Amino acid sequence: MHEMILCKLGEVVLKGLNRRSFEMKLMGNIRRRTGRFGKFRVYSKQSTIYVEPAEETCDLAGAYAACKQVFGIIAVARALPCAKEKEAILDTAKTYLSSALTAARSFKVESKRADKTFPMTSIQLSQWVGGHLHEAFPHLTVDVHHPELTVYVEVREEAAYVHAPAEPAAGGLPIGMGGRAVSLLSGGIDSPVASYMIAKRGVELEMIHFASPPYTSEQAREKVLQLARELVPWCGRLNVTIIPFAEIQEEIRRNCPEDHFTLIMRRFMMRLADALAKDLNCRALVTGESLGQVASQTMDALAVSGDVTDLPVLRPVIGMDKEEIVRIARHIGTFETSILPYEDCCTVFTPRHPKTRPHVEEVREMEQALDVDGLVRRAMDGREVVKLR
Ligand code: ATP
Ligand code: MG
């Protein structure tokens, strides 16, 4: 029998009648993410999803790392199945976990018995395996309260499984169960984190980015694509729609008061994201806005920029401090890319004194000077889609 991966389900198990559809979605996601590491059999039993190599050449370590980033899985463990006999279980534990048993100073065995026809109770099995492991590794002490190493034995229908402690995985809900949303991805720290947080709740994302060449560089565009690539192991396949934004910015600068420049620009971003969402059948927008972080993120400013869309705007980092957002950015692996210095379109024409308490009627009035529909249409026509796998 071959080493395999056990994936423990998180919130999925709370879903009652919908549970089966959650499990099916999750297994599909696992199959897709592990596919590049070889052919695996993926199946579920008793709140666990099994990922079992179906050919010799499978890269189990690669698949294990990929499973850790699949939302819906709360913990993962590598395990070795064996015959459902106490001697086979003991031999497997001795050899399979020998380096962990050698390195630890204290240990215990914890058994679970899903197969009630197995002739020993879980306690008897733990004691028997533990006693013999202690003889084989005499430097160990038994510590049932705070052992350095817990050896897990699970006796299930088809086999017994021996594994070391499971490691924490991504948690959340399977992507695809929460619908689809358009996420506004800039080159900053916040929007990749916001995207990750919403994807974690089971939402499939479409990314939109506004680029303003010649005011923004090729490197700035590449940086955003790099951030999106770094999100793929969490979010799955991503499409990034890149929208040319320079004409809109130039028109605003030419026709609107400087202190409202950023706000009006943000309304155009929301209009374009709304248009894309409707095109792609998405039901919400996602941004990395955090209350009070900058002038365009005061409560009044958020009301003004949210005024142009009837879709819910999800702002998962709204109540977070920068430090908390940075901690997540580091955890998901986007931070180092986010702090590369290239200019975002927002930093190209920044007003010296941005309005922090705008009024929506006044802003609508100012936009009378612009051909809003024409600008939106031309920007949408100029879009380019980059597919990331
Ligand atoms: P971030 O770290 O996400 O860039 P920020 O504090 O710099 O955040 P802003 O530049 O005010 O914030 O933008 C707020 C949000 O608007 C971003 O989190 C992002 O969702 C969206 N956004 C800003 N610029 C762009 C852009 N060029 N393309 C797509 N979305 C953008
Ligand atoms: Mg930004």
Side-chain angles (χ1 to χ4, degrees):
M1 286 191 249
H2 288 293
E3 192 180 12
M4 58 195 297
I5 301 164
L6 306 184
C7 303
K8 308 277 173 183
L9 305 190
E11 261 180 68
V12 172
V13 300
L14 302 177
K15 292 293 166 189
L17 292 175
N18 287 332
R19 174 174 169 159
R20 194 61 200 153
S21 59
F22 274 74
E23 282 186 6
M24 297 300 284
K25 182 64 89 181
L26 181 53
M27 286 193 286
N29 293 349
I30 293 173
R31 274 188 203 103
R32 210 163 26 252
R33 305 282 189 88
T34 54
R36 68 193 180 97
F37 301 103
K39 224 170 132 45
F40 292 87
R41 271 183 69 217
V42 178
Y43 54 94
S44 77
K45 273 195 182 121
Q46 296 152 335
S47 307
T48 300
I49 290 179
Y50 295 75
V51 181
E52 185 182 332
E55 54 191 16
E56 288 299 324
T57 52
C58 283
D59 171 4
L60 195 79
Y64 179 74
C67 286
K68 271 189 175 174
Q69 291 182 287
V70 175
F71 293 128
I73 301 174
I74 197 158
V76 284
R78 289 169 72 146
L80 192 62
C82 64
K84 293 196 288 183
E85 289 151 11
K86 63 179 198 270
E87 288 82 8
I89 294 170
L90 173 63
D91 282 347
T92 304
K94 270 190 204 163
T95 51
Y96 182 55
L97 298 179
S98 78
S99 54
L101 286 161
T102 307
R105 281 169 298 186
S106 58
F107 86 116
K108 73 167 174 179
V109 177
E110 207 172 294
S111 306
K112 257 200 246 158
R113 194 181 56 137
D115 172 9
K116 302 295 177 199
T117 66
F118 189 78
M120 299 166 101
T121 65
S122 337
I123 293 172
Q124 288 170 332
L125 180 61
S126 296
Q127 285 175 344
W128 189 86
V129 174
H132 285 78
L133 282 178
H134 200 187
E135 279 170 27
F137 298 86
H139 72 284
L140 285 173
T141 56
V142 177
D143 181 346
V144 292
H145 299 296
H146 304 287
E148 270 181 32
L149 175 70
T150 302
V151 173
Y152 291 88
V153 177
E154 299 186 33
V155 183
R156 299 201 168 201
E157 272 163 49
E158 338 65 68
Y161 298 84
V162 173
H163 65 87
E167 291 187 281
L173 298 169
I175 285 184
M177 290 312 291
R180 287 153 55 77
V182 166
S183 183
L184 288 82
L185 186 65
S186 68
I189 297 168
D190 308 329
S191 51
V193 169
S195 304
Y196 159 86
M197 289 176 75
I198 293 301
K200 182 171 178 177
R201 298 311 298 165
V203 177
E204 191 179 335
L205 297 179
E206 288 284 343
M207 310 311 249
I208 189 169
H209 175 67
F210 307 99
S212 301
Y215 305 104
T216 56
S217 63
E218 182 62 30
Q219 286 114 306
R221 173 194 148 100
E222 192 40 49
K223 173 185 175 182
V224 171
L225 292 177
Q226 180 56 28
L227 285 171
R229 267 182 224 114
E230 288 163 356
L231 288 169
V232 166
W234 302 104
C235 300
R237 296 176 285 196
L238 284 177
N239 299 327
V240 184
T241 299
I242 300 175
I243 308 266
F245 204 58
E247 187 196 355
I248 289 173
Q249 292 183 295
E250 285 166 347
E251 280 298 295
I252 301 172
R253 191 172 51 167
R254 192 170 314 131
N255 296 296
C256 302
E258 186 192 296
D259 62 349
H260 279 73
F261 176 83
T262 308
L263 264 173
I264 295 174
M265 181 186 79
R266 296 209 48 80
R267 280 163 66 88
F268 273 92
M269 289 187 177
M270 299 307 262
R271 285 188 183 101
L272 290 159
D274 178 276
L276 184 69
K278 280 160 189 168
D279 245 29
L280 299 176
N281 214 358
C282 295
R283 299 295 159 80
L285 307 181
V286 180
T287 77
E289 289 161 313
S290 164
L291 197 61
Q293 194 187 76
V294 288
S296 60
Q297 294 172 25
T298 63
M299 233 190 276
D300 293 323
L302 293 176
V304 168
S305 53
D307 166 60
V308 296
T309 176
D310 55 4
L311 293 173
V313 181
L314 309 180
R315 300 181 175 97
V317 304
I318 193 73
M320 290 168 72
D321 291 352
K322 200 73 183 185
E323 266 170 70
E324 298 171 287
I325 301 172
V326 164
R327 204 175 311 132
I328 300 177
R330 286 187 194 279
H331 167 67
I332 65 176
T334 53
F335 181 72
E336 295 301 327
T337 304
S338 288
I339 59 173
L340 293 173
Y342 315 112
E343 298 273 281
D344 183 69
C345 70
C346 294
T347 49
V348 177
F349 312 101
T350 32
R352 278 156 296 184
H353 302 290
K355 189 88 177 160
T356 53
R357 306 205 56 186
H359 301 283
V360 75
E361 295 79 12
E362 269 177 43
V363 177
R364 287 184 191 148
E365 189 80 21
M366 291 169 192
E367 287 177 346
Q368 298 287 324
L370 302 169
D371 170 18
V372 172
D373 293 343
L375 286 168
V376 168
R377 190 167 3 92
R378 283 194 294 283
M380 286 303 280
D381 287 346
R383 72 185 158 187
E384 178 200 345
V385 182
V386 180
K387 293 177 188 286
L388 305 174
R389 293 287 173 267

